[in-house]
Amino acid sequence: MSAPSAVTGTADPTLAELPLRPELVGEVPYGAPQLDVPVCLNVNENPYPPSPAVVAEMAAAVATAAGSVNRYPERDALALRADLAAYLGHGLGPEQVWAANGSNEVMVHVLQAFGGPGRSVLSFAPTYSMYPEYARGTHTRWLTAPREDDFGVDVDTALAAVAQHQPDVVLLTSPNNPTGTAVDLATVAAVCEAAPGVVVVDEAYVEFARPGTPSALELLPSHPRLAVSRTMSKAFAFAGGRLGYLAAAPAFVDALRVVRLPYHLSALTQAVARVALAHAPEMLAAVVELRSARDDVAAWLTDQGLEVAASDANFVLFGRFADRHAVWQALLDRGVLIREVGPAGWLRVSAGTPQEMAAFRTALAAVLDGPVAERLPTGALTGSVR
Ligand SMILES: Cc1ncc(COP(=O)(O)O)c(C=O)c1O
């Protein structure tokens, strides 16, 4: 029996003593390390905060919302969804847009509605490491088909996997995390034609794609079971505000409304997100610079003789190191935090300010001169997706 805790005054069991769901035993909370270091290039944030004028407007909106914080928020967040629809364009209306606390929550709603016990979700690995956790949390079977050596999704591989598994949900990430690879619309359309269930294209990073890259939003009118997921966390510089959204047919959105918790989006979130959307051009102003920061760092990494994945996102995957953890740690020791993620040997660096990118290059150049930078032989890409 556990002794009462001196700190809390309650019984203080260990995790192993609690009747946890069996599939959660041994699991740890997801998350990149949040460390207090000078240069944070690890979670693909936009490094530029809003201007003082936008901050002041957000503060005023919070003050107004706080004046009626005794009441529940507008449950369907219709004004916010109308703003999101206007931002997306493509003739979308509020009834075709869903919003939640980050696209993480949007995707959980999708799996709660369309996945679940006895159902499956198929994606293409390596991909975003939260997806298996959404699947686990909703008791949906997690299935993957492999990406190509250049991390692209081959249409024949995709169609074969759909035919084999008959998944209830197909999750295509474009541009993909952690590789930065975009999926072409013809592949998305072919998967939509073949899939027996719903198809979600996660476009969390789409604003960073090369100009002219089409969005899967274009396919919505012709594919009623397609949904396109977006976030304000990346290009929109609103990661702390927690706002993700999705565009789909009104009936698809109605399905998500069935599973959401009541009042899931706080009045404060809705108010601040609406201010951010009212200033969309300003919030998105750094995208052009961040694209160049990405392209510059990719070229520099290639010049160092490293393997670099072609990226349409605000980060670059590079490697491959015999001991990537040692390289990651050596960068951290120099005050630069990047992400140890993706298949074996790879590391991911986010696009930051010019000062941050200069600090990254200086630190990595020093590490590459040292003993920890041994490379893996070029060849087949293997390893875990995490
Ligand atoms: C591909 C992808 N989708 C979704 C998300 C979740 O974003 P958020 O919950 O902040 O909207 C991320 C975050 O890194 C991501 O990389």
Side-chain angles (χ1 to χ4, degrees):
M1 226 25 217
S2 306
S5 157
V7 180
T8 62
T10 61
D12 199 4
T14 65
L15 193 48
E17 290 172 313
L18 292 175
L20 196 61
R21 276 166 44 191
E23 67 272 28
L24 298 183
V25 172
E27 295 285 303
V28 291
Y30 170 87
Q34 287 193 307
L35 304 176
D36 188 14
V37 290
V39 180
C40 281
L41 298 171
N42 65 331
V43 286
N44 305 336
E45 295 154 330
N46 186 323
Y48 298 101
S51 68
V54 172
V55 170
E57 218 175 297
M58 287 177 175
V62 169
T64 303
S68 51
V69 81
N70 54 312
R71 301 287 180 194
Y72 284 110
E74 205 275 272
R75 196 170 39 211
D76 287 317
L78 273 170
L80 171 62
R81 287 162 58 200
D83 291 351
L84 289 165
Y87 166 68
L88 286 176
H90 291 79
L92 292 164
E95 69 290 349
Q96 290 158 294
V97 173
W98 183 236
N101 296 283
S103 52
N104 281 151
E105 189 182 24
V106 170
M107 213 66 83
V108 169
H109 288 163
V110 169
L111 291 187
Q112 283 178 325
F114 298 104
R119 293 191 164 203
S120 62
V121 51
L122 170 72
S123 195
F124 299 87
T127 193
Y128 183 37
S129 48
M130 269 305 290
Y131 295 151
E133 307 213 6
Y134 308 149
R136 184 195 66 199
T138 59
H139 300 272
T140 310
R141 193 148 69 97
W142 169 246
L143 302 167
T144 58
R147 288 171 173 265
E148 299 296 284
D149 280 355
D150 65 358
F151 300 122
V153 174
D154 175 68
V155 67
D156 294 329
T157 306
L159 294 180
V162 168
Q164 181 192 345
H165 298 297
Q166 295 291 303
D168 300 283
V169 181
V170 180
L171 189 42
L172 282 162
T173 319
S174 183
N176 185 43
N177 180 13
T179 65
T181 329
V183 180
D184 68 77
L185 278 201
T187 301
V188 177
V191 168
C192 288
E193 296 294 333
V198 302
V199 176
V200 182
V201 181
D202 183 348
E203 292 193 338
Y205 299 96
V206 76
E207 291 95 340
F208 296 107
R210 276 160 286 198
T213 306
S215 160
L217 290 172
E218 288 185 13
L219 299 176
L220 285 177
S222 46
H223 294 91
R225 284 178 281 109
L226 170 66
V228 181
S229 159
R230 297 273 187 101
T231 181
M232 290 176 68
S233 296
K234 309 296 179 180
F236 228 96
F238 197 68
R242 307 304 300 132
L243 205 294
Y245 55 106
L246 167 149
F252 194 117
V253 171
D254 284 344
L256 306 183
R257 292 174 59 227
V258 171
V259 296
R260 60 109 178 90
L261 292 174
Y263 314 112
H264 68 294
L265 262 186
S266 90
L268 308 180
T269 302
Q270 294 185 41
V272 181
R274 293 196 68 202
V275 173
L277 284 159
H279 294 281
E282 181 183 325
M283 298 299 284
L284 291 163
V287 165
V288 175
E289 279 164 73
L290 292 169
R291 275 197 211 117
S292 332
R294 167 200 71 203
D295 292 341
D296 290 351
V297 79
W300 182 83
L301 289 163
T302 307
D303 287 347
Q304 309 311 301
L306 292 160
E307 291 177 64
V308 179
S311 176
D312 264 303
N314 64 335
F315 53 81
V316 176
L317 192 71
F318 67 98
R320 294 177 300 133
F321 299 103
D323 184 352
R324 70 169 170 187
H325 182 72
V327 175
W328 178 86
Q329 184 64 55
L331 289 171
L332 185 57
D333 294 343
R334 289 164 173 78
V336 178
L337 178 61
I338 64 166
R339 191 78 186 268
E340 197 181 346
V341 68
W346 295 91
L347 292 168
R348 191 192 70 196
V349 62
S350 308
T353 64
Q355 297 74 21
E356 288 170 332
M357 299 323 281
F360 166 72
R361 284 194 294 268
T362 304
L364 185 60
V367 174
L368 290 177
D369 274 344
V372 300
E374 188 194 339
R375 316 287 166 79
L376 287 173
T378 48
L381 303 171
T382 55
S384 122
V385 299
R386 297 204 58 152

